[in-house]
């Protein structure tokens, strides 16, 4: 593993060029998040992605994008035509990603309840990520998110939007003791 002195403020040392000794060895059909690169990459995904709030289908597609970054669970971005925008309510909140730019946030509703900041998008995603401009990503700790019918669980830490499924192994950025990775 190549160690560097990053100026990202987090002491980041790992870049996906070699798995660190503490990484879980992937089994058949699994990926290690330690094989993902840094800076992150955008890849097309043709697996069935479904997002629900209760019985309401909020989004469904086989034409999503995954963003893969060292130590992070994949984050899924669904094209606008796959999203029920009647279930989304824009909120006055934003954040900044060094790779993708400024994110805007959405509450999600099923008509009975409203889940705060359960989705986000990058309306003007940076050049390397221009394909996700207008796509919507969802937090799987707040909604029922599935990949090929398998329930996704949130990447640890409460901030990251990655989806953890049985076919992805870590440990993941956001777990206790990972701040200095």
């Amino acid at each position: 593993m190549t160690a560097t002195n990053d100026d990202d403020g987090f002491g980041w040392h790992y870049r996906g060029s070699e798995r660190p000794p503490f990484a879980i060895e992937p089994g058949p059909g699994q990926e290690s998040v330690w094989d993902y690169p840094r800076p992150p990459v955008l890849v097309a995904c043709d697996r069935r992605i479904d997002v629900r709030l209760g019985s309401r289908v909020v989004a469904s597609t086989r034409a999503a994008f995954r963003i893969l970054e060292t130590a992070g669970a994949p984050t899924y971005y669904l094209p606008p035509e796959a999203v029920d925008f009647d279930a989304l309510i824009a909120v006055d909140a934003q954040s900044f990603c060094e790779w993708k730019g400024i994110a805007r946030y959405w509450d999600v509703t099923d008509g009975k309840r409203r889940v705060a900041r359960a989705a986000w998008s990058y309306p003007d995603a940076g050049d390397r990520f221009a394909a996700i401009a207008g796509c919507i990503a969802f937090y799987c700790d707040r909604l029922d998110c599935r990949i090929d019918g398998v329930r996704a669980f949130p990447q640890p830490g409460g901030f990251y939007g990655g989806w953890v499924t049985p076919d992805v192994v870590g440990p993941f950025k956001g777990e206790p003791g990972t701040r200095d990775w």
Side-chain angles (χ1 to χ4, degrees), residues 57-130:
V57 175
V58 177
S60 184
T61 190
R62 282 192 175 276
F65 292 99
R66 293 191 317 159
I67 292 186
L68 308 176
E69 181 178 3
T70 306
T75 305
Y76 292 83
Y77 289 82
L78 285 65
E81 60 273 11
V83 178
D84 175 2
F85 278 89
D86 289 338
L88 301 184
I89 303 162
V91 296
D92 188 21
Q94 61 183 1
S95 63
F96 178 76
C97 170
E98 66 184 304
W99 313 110
K100 298 176 289 293
I102 296 175
R104 71 181 288 197
Y105 288 85
W106 308 81
D107 289 355
V108 176
T109 183
D110 63 1
K112 298 177 211 137
R113 63 195 147 163
R114 182 171 172 164
V115 181
R117 291 180 56 163
W120 75 96
S121 65
Y122 290 94
D124 300 307
D127 292 340
R128 292 181 47 219
F129 297 97

